[in-house]
Amino acid sequence: QVQLVESGGGLVQPGGSLRLSCAASRSIISINVRWYRQPPGKEREWVASIRTEGTTTYADSVKGRFTISRDNAKNMAYLQMNSLKVEDTAVYYCYAEEYRGGRYYGAYWGQGTQVTVSS
């Protein structure tokens, strides 16, 4: 089991930046990490992924503005969000998918952090 705790959300003006953090309760060295978000009244959607070896992928809506990263030594993952838009307003969730010996082992969600982009 891995507990995930997100932080760093808040209220920001359009064009601003925020950095979200995802703290894991133990080592994430064998864990792929993703960020998802759920805008008000909409379904949860995938935002970005970072694999154990560092490969990153992004949803088209955030490509070029958001950067996902990880620090295995600190059991942390991050989502740097720049040039924020009103439509980025959502609850952001950290998701971890664990593999052991190359086999799927489990998946875990954080509790979410609210990001509001408004003038």
Side-chain angles (χ1 to χ4, degrees), residues 99-118:
Y99 290 82
R100 295 187 181 179
R103 301 179 68 175
Y104 173 79
Y105 186 78
Y108 317 97
W109 287 94
Q111 84 290 347
T113 185
Q114 176 71 47
V115 171
T116 302
V117 184
S118 174

Side-chain angles (χ1 to χ4, degrees), residues 86-101:
V86 172
E87 51 265 40
D88 293 318
T89 295
V91 178
Y92 284 72
Y93 297 90
C94 182
Y95 169 87
E97 197 169 73
E98 185 174 17
Y99 290 82
R100 295 187 181 179

Side-chain angles (χ1 to χ4, degrees), residues 7-101:
S7 60
L11 174 63
V12 63
Q13 292 187 341
S17 298
L18 282 174
R19 188 175 86 149
L20 305 183
S21 299
C22 174
S25 58
R26 58 172 175 83
S27 174
I28 62 169
I29 198 167
S30 62
I31 290 176
N32 295 323
V33 178
R34 304 176 195 165
W35 286 94
Y36 287 80
R37 66 185 181 186
Q38 186 163 15
K42 297 184 179 181
E43 293 189 354
R44 194 171 298 189
E45 61 185 21
W46 168 73
V47 175
S49 298
I50 185 164
R51 297 179 61 86
T52 54
E53 77 278 11
T55 303
T56 59
T57 51
Y58 298 91
D60 288 343
S61 59
V62 306
K63 201 172 295 182
R65 299 188 298 122
F66 289 12
T67 302
I68 189 171
S69 61
R70 62 193 294 152
D71 186 337
N72 290 341
K74 296 181 179 180
N75 300 340
M76 296 287 295
Y78 305 97
L79 185 68
Q80 177 67 44
M81 306 186 296
N82 298 328
S83 302
L84 282 161
K85 305 176 181 180
V86 172
E87 51 265 40
D88 293 318
T89 295
V91 178
Y92 284 72
Y93 297 90
C94 182
Y95 169 87
E97 197 169 73
E98 185 174 17
Y99 290 82
R100 295 187 181 179

